[in-house]
Amino acid sequence: MAKTISEINEKIKKGEVIVVTAEEIIDIAEKEGIERAAKKVDVVTTATFGPMCSSGAYLNLGHSKPRIKLGGGKAYLNDVPVYTGLAAVDIYIGATALPEEDPRNKVYPGEFKYGGGHVIEDLVAGKDLKFTALSYATDCYPRKKLETWINIKDINEAVLFNPRNAYQNYNVAVNLSRKIIYTYMGVLQPHLGNAMYCSAGQLSPLLNDPYYKSIGVGTKIFLGGGVGYVVWNGTQHNPCVKRTKRGVPCAGAGSIAVIGDLKEMSPYWLKGTSITGYGVNLTVGIGIPIPILNEEILYYTTVKDEEIWAPIVDYSEDYPLGREKIIGEVNYAQLKKGKINFRGKEVSTASLSSYARAREIAEILKNWIKEGKFLLTEPVKQLPSTNSGIRLKNLKERNLD
Amino acid sequence: MEKRRVVLTFPYQLIDQPITYHLIRDYNLVVNILRAKINPEEEGRLMVEISGDKKSLDEGMDYLKRLGVSIQPLVKDIRWLEEKCTHCTACLSICPTGALSVERKEMKVSFEKDKCIACGLCILACPYRAIEISF
């Protein structure tokens, strides 16, 4: 009964396509069985909405008169430094960049009120941003200084390009120490006071396609409220971790690099994020359609929260020291109840990833496909999977002398 | 027994007066101080939870007003900005009173002002700065 992506696209064009979310497919498959469900359903939509720090955008500002060469100079958007090591008026703004005068953690814990993630949110929101730059003069680019307002609608390109997003599973962070700690996983209370997690679980894209059988380079996606594409595996893509019998990774595993036109995105789906004591970030909304090409692909989309296990990691000592120690395992059904029992203690849980927003994205993408506004693409290259032999490397430090 | 959570603002000339003592002794009220900020050059502010029977509470409040202390319900000083909230739930495990909670089916966060003791822990925990305390 195998289907092809072009057959599914034909159905989309005719308005005959059957699309359900990764939550809805669980009940359908339970009632009707995998075989019938795979025949009936054409696409399953998955989604996630969480802080994704390896994110950023490149912009082409257009040339000034006289011309300035930003490459090799220094430039700032709303006082946040941008990367200028590109051509004359191309810049890259990274999600975690901070203004030079931000006190960081000098007054601990730092507040990190504004940084790269907020610049991207403001840019997408259509706000004017202050652009300042200092550079050196050349015969062809004589100008040394530029100060102006810029607006997304006036610049040539604004492209969101995130090297690592949508992590397939993640750690559950706890604090075994005697003092409160401020981490990228949130505020962690001492003596196992709370546990923080960050995944959409059963709705999360790569947890619904654990072996990357349909999501690959070229897959068209919902990105930040607009349309984007998977362009590569994400950095630290690590498919060869321990997996459950049904193939679900038991730790952070795969990830994707994504790209899309920032001009078509929305600040509702790209949010500047301030993580107390840690830094700034960008919370990104991603939705990925999974074409039900066969029963196997459908089977993977029926994964439930109770079948997805995450490692519990101590962020007071083990994580900062780089010890790869897992002190327990818990599944997302337990985490989503708000309390877990761990080491004889009832520990309250909370998430950094918004399940409510992920659900909203899965619904939006479902409707785009049903209404014929969004056709599926055939990947042009598969993401490295469990047979890739990839082993995540730690940095080998070598003496400079 | 009735319970009121209020923010008391003391004018400059009153900040060295033992007003809380009088509320307890003369009006038989239970006064629980949640936050206090007194700057000798400015005014003093006291965030309190006052409990007692209705008559004593009303009399106590009249006493404060007569002195020139302004009384404002606590809820005005704490704001949950729903439009900024992404319903991630990061605030939940840190909120000691359950004022911030999530409806588990919809996974949407809500804020019950009456349960809030204005400890401010959620402000540090919220990545979107969706909770504000002006005190």
Side-chain angles (χ1 to χ4, degrees), chain A residues 93-223:
Chain A
I93 170 78
T96 65
L98 286 169
E100 278 158 16
E101 66 272 27
D102 186 284
R104 289 154 168 90
N105 265 339
K106 278 179 192 151
V107 182
Y108 179 81
E111 290 185 83
F112 303 101
K113 283 185 178 167
Y114 196 86
H118 302 89
V119 169
I120 294 169
E121 181 184 338
D122 284 348
L123 191 67
V124 177
K127 290 185 187 167
D128 280 340
L129 302 184
K130 184 177 78 177
F131 180 74
T132 51
L134 286 174
S135 194
Y136 61 96
T138 74
D139 292 337
C140 43
Y141 289 85
R143 197 158 170 181
K144 290 191 204 163
K145 193 177 172 189
L146 178 61
E147 286 184 351
T148 182
W149 294 102
I150 66 152
N151 191 292
I152 193 167
K153 67 178 194 304
D154 302 325
I155 61 179
N156 291 316
E157 283 93 12
V159 181
L160 189 75
F161 179 30
N162 304 344
R164 182 171 75 243
N165 277 183
Y167 236 127
Q168 189 179 26
N169 211 345
Y170 210 76
N171 292 344
V172 175
V174 297
N175 173 8
L176 296 180
S177 80
R178 288 188 296 179
K179 65 175 179 74
I180 190 165
I181 58 171
Y182 299 89
T183 73
Y184 71 86
M185 290 295 284
V187 185
L188 298 175
Q189 300 279 23
H191 304 295
L192 267 178
N194 60 337
M196 298 291 295
Y197 65 98
C198 189
S199 172
Q202 63 193 14
L203 257 184
S204 184
L206 295 181
L207 289 172
N208 280 280
D209 182 14
Y211 295 112
Y212 330 109
K213 292 201 180 263
S214 79
I215 300 170
V217 176
T219 297
K220 189 172 154 190
I221 62 172
F222 170 109
L223 179 60

Side-chain angles (χ1 to χ4, degrees), chain B residues 17-35:
Chain B
Q17 301 295 310
I19 290 167
T20 313
Y21 165 77
H22 286 292
L23 278 179
I24 298 167
R25 200 196 66 170
D26 304 347
Y27 297 93
N28 195 29
L29 295 170
V30 178
V31 180
N32 182 14
I33 300 173
L34 304 173
R35 266 172 185 238

Side-chain angles (χ1 to χ4, degrees), chain A residues 25 29 33-34 37-38 41 44 292 294-302:
Chain A
I25 194 65
I34 297 289
V41 175
V44 170
I292 304 304
N294 54 48
E295 287 168 21
E296 189 192 7
I297 287 178
L298 179 110
Y299 166 74
Y300 290 126
T301 67
T302 60

Side-chain angles (χ1 to χ4, degrees), chain A residues 253-272:
Chain A
S255 71
I256 46 175
V258 298
I259 200 163
D261 187 353
L262 196 63
K263 292 191 178 198
E264 287 173 14
M265 296 183 196
S266 139
Y268 186 78
W269 297 115
L270 290 174
K271 305 232 25 121

